[in-house]
Amino acid sequence: MNRHGATAQRGGLLIEVLVAVFVSAFALLGFAAMQARATTAEFEALQRSQALLLVDDMVARMNANRARAADYVQIGLVGAGAADDCAGMNGADLDLCEWGNLIRGSTEQRGGALVGAMLSARGCIARATSGSDRYVVAVAWQGVTPTSAPAALCGQGDAAFADEALRRVVASTVCVGRLRDDAVSAGVARC
């Protein structure tokens, strides 16, 4: 009887090892998928923080040049195409040129390509309502995982954003305060 029981147990250890390897393989696949998702989320967060810094940069430039804030309003998108030469410019033109180069990624180059900004980034500056000192500064870029389309219009319809589910936008509404404006009566609210 003993001999027959030992023969029946032959290969049992091998099956246990195969089951353990099978379970471990699924665990490793799950870990690899989690790591890939974390890397994607980290990249999306990096792009969002870069966009927020660019929006903050333009807001600071507009606040530094309050009297000429309307000169910053752009009809088209800022940051498309090759980097611009900003030499000889001043005021709002200089600020827009430098901001456009930052959006293009001019702070870092690799192999001749500008890589210091988000994917397919574009900037927008618009007046929130006509006759007010409210401006909307926005930066749009291409994300890597689809979500819902953003409500902000910056970058909408641009060829860089073929899929609206990949377009990302951060925006800030800015009220440019002025200490004195002789053209407006004292009782009119500016913002």
Side-chain angles (χ1 to χ4, degrees), residues 3-154:
R3 192 148 173 67
H4 180 64
T7 307
Q9 286 295 319
R10 224 179 249 171
L13 183 60
L14 182 61
I15 291 174
E16 289 176 9
V17 169
L18 285 174
V19 168
V21 167
F22 187 69
V23 169
S24 297
F26 270 119
L28 287 174
L29 284 174
F31 179 74
M34 179 186 69
Q35 195 67 22
R37 185 169 279 183
T39 301
T40 301
E42 180 183 6
F43 183 67
E44 290 272 2
L46 171 67
Q47 290 197 110
R48 182 171 302 279
S49 65
Q50 286 178 324
L52 288 168
L53 287 171
L54 287 169
V55 167
D56 187 53
D57 179 67
M58 182 47 70
V59 168
R61 290 173 190 255
M62 290 176 73
N63 275 322
N65 193 6
R66 292 179 188 152
R68 309 292 301 176
D71 294 346
Y72 289 89
V73 174
Q74 296 294 298
I75 301 300
L77 298 172
V78 178
D84 292 326
D85 181 13
C86 302
M89 296 181 176
N90 57 25
D93 291 334
L94 176 63
D95 288 342
L96 287 166
C97 180
E98 290 175 347
W99 193 57
N101 285 341
L102 290 173
I103 289 172
R104 288 178 190 96
S106 65
T107 57
E108 186 176 345
Q109 294 184 10
R110 184 173 299 143
L114 303 176
V115 295
M118 299 81 57
L119 300 174
S120 302
R122 304 288 187 266
C124 304
I125 304 171
R127 188 166 254 175
T129 57
S130 63
S132 78
D133 283 335
R134 284 184 185 260
Y135 300 90
V136 177
V137 177
V139 172
W141 72 97
Q142 180 179 323
V144 291
T145 55
T147 60
S148 60
L153 300 177
C154 185

